[in-house]
Amino acid sequence: MVTSRQDCRTVYVVGVGQVPVGEHWDKSLRDLAVAALRAAVADGGGEAPGALMLGNMLGSTLSEQQHLGALIADWAGFRGIEAASVESACSSGAAALRQGYLAVKSGEHRLVAVLGAEKMTDSVNGLATAGLAMAADAESEAAIGLSFPAINALLMRRYMHEYGPEREDFAAFAMSSHANAVGNPNAMFRKAVSQKACLLAPTIADPVTLMDSAPMADGAAALILADAETAARLGRTGVRIAGSAVATDSLALQDRNELLYLEAVAASTERALAAANRSREDVDFFEVHDAFTIMSILSLEAAGYAPRGEGFRLAQEGVVVRGGRLPICTMGGLKARGHPVGATGVYQAVEAALQLRGAAGDCQVEGARVGLIQNIGGSGATVVTHVLEAE
Amino acid sequence: MALQLPRDWRLQAQRYRLLGAKCRGCGRVVVPIRPVCPGCGSDDVETIKLSGRGEVYSYTVMYKVPDSFERSVPYVVALVRLEEGALISAQITDVEPEEVVVGLPVEVVFRQWRQYGADGHIVYGYKFRPVMPGMAATQ
Ligand SMILES: [Zn+2]
């Protein structure tokens, strides 16, 4: 397809790889990363990439390991290539995808590996919770005792106060993600949940319950990106990245212009769709960052799929569920596929590529041609959005 | 968590006196003080002492808490809308969790935040409590 930026290189997704999301007690951060990366390289035709961009959030805290770019390049059998890791909290994975995309788009590299990897079950006590709180503002939020679920609880409480959704409205989002995960062999929770189970779930930070929040998990996922000539040579031109954008906002909730409007979601969605020459209506499915049910709702509103204060209706009304006008979290989302934080953005991209290849199995969205994927750092401070399209 | 004495020392003024930054360009007030206005980008920003009065804008009750906050469990954390317009995250104290509602009038108090490190280093700072009936006039 000819785009307004035809002078630049087109970036194709030529390989994907992932390990099942879950609790991998017998595997380290590097084991998970190497497995996903080698699977993607094999899927992409077996050639060594020229560079590796790796997304990870908690390696320094939970595995006491930084410097992951060189480590994983070496352990995966690609010693010598360019490699670096990228961190932007829970959006680290998509931030690495963005860097890989730019590396190919610029012409600097022809074949680039993008990897998201996270090992969350190595810690005991509250170390993972403390690590996640680092996505918030250390001096004004973490310092007064706020946890990451509590920050989302502040958003959810205010939303309920202003717009009056019922518990059932939030539950419908969790139920939809769980129903979608049943068909995904790499999902952590392949089990549908009832409305009753959602309504009876224990509270984590009132009003956020266990069923409002995505589980911590181990995982790694990888993509191989290539320019047009390389993709054609490899015979893998089925999926391309049509749009890519990042926008930022304040880390601290107290510094937002409007608490319930995710400005970075609005800006990055707008830019990514514009780059792809697409409108919202062209999108066949949307991988939403459903770390908490309130984040799904605020994301759908800021992305322009619902008026302010109306997004909570979209799951109950069947718009964003399987078979609806805009299916979201088609392979379980963060809630049911699982949320290995720094890997999540790459899982979203792997799943979107599978949908566009028509290889999503029982999760397949029929006729999917255009996929929107969005990975959010913190409670909306970094928002990375990509548009993937089938050729 | 590792002991961070220099940081706790450096942030004392902010934590003890509830300082805000007011933009002379657009008038926006934010907490804590910062050199550039997040609203308009101006660096013509002055440090002001905030009144410490406001109301609860949103809140949550925390049972599963970060290390070094265990002594206070359960506690209420709120976003407080200050009279000057700024929002601030803070614990609500001297109250039962079920008494907190959106819109509750609150005022600042000075309290212990947390205790950590091998020597039990104590960090103090601002919290908010419900305004006592009849007490507002004496503030
Ligand atoms: Zn200003």
Side-chain angles (χ1 to χ4, degrees), chain A residues 6 32 38 64 86 138 147 164-165 192 225 228 233 240 273 285 298 300 305 313 353 391:
Chain A
Q6 64 195 82
L32 297 165
R38 290 196 65 87
E64 297 182 328
V86 181
S147 65
L225 307 181
R233 179 170 57 74
R240 67 190 170 88
L273 287 171
F285 64 95
L298 294 177
L300 286 163
Y305 285 105
R313 303 182 196 281
E391 279 288 276

Side-chain angles (χ1 to χ4, degrees), chain B residues 23-28 37-42 45:
Chain B
C23 175
R24 291 195 181 92
C26 71
R28 180 158 168 175
C37 172
C40 72
S42 167
V45 168

Side-chain angles (χ1 to χ4, degrees), chain A residues 145 154 158 206 254-255 257, chain B residues 28 31 34 58 60 75 89:
Chain A
L154 293 173
R158 186 68 200 183
D206 191 29
Q254 66 194 46
D255 295 333
N257 289 332
Chain B
R28 180 158 168 175
V31 193
R34 56 159 90 186
S58 189
T60 181
Y75 55 83
S89 301

Side-chain angles (χ1 to χ4, degrees), chain A residues 19-33 55-65 68 89-93 116-135 148-149 188-189 213-220 289 291-292 334-335 337-345 347 375-376, chain B residues 64:
Chain A
V19 300
V21 177
E23 296 177 346
H24 293 283
W25 303 106
D26 57 337
K27 292 191 175 64
S28 67
L29 177 58
R30 72 183 72 182
D31 293 334
L32 297 165
N56 170 265
M57 177 185 178
L58 298 169
S60 57
T61 314
L62 303 184
S63 302
E64 297 182 328
Q65 181 70 65
L68 290 170
C90 323
S91 66
S92 300
E118 205 72 74
K119 176 72 194 174
M120 301 184 76
T121 61
D122 264 357
S123 75
V124 290
N125 305 326
L127 205 53
T129 304
L132 288 174
M134 291 183 197
F148 199 55
M188 184 171 186
F189 298 131
S213 64
M216 293 187 195
D218 303 331
H289 188 91
F292 293 87
L334 283 61
K335 176 69 190 79
R337 173 237 297 123
H339 183 28
V341 286
T344 289
Y347 274 99
N375 192 198
I376 299 183
Chain B
K64 189 174 190 314

Side-chain angles (χ1 to χ4, degrees), chain B residues 53-85:
Chain B
R53 287 186 295 273
E55 59 177 48
V56 171
Y57 189 74
S58 189
Y59 68 96
T60 181
V61 186
M62 291 184 58
Y63 292 88
K64 189 174 190 314
V65 304
D67 291 346
S68 78
F69 289 91
E70 292 94 344
R71 282 172 51 133
S72 318
V73 174
Y75 55 83
V76 180
V77 185
L79 278 167
V80 172
R81 175 73 79 187
L82 297 170
E83 280 181 349
E84 292 85 354

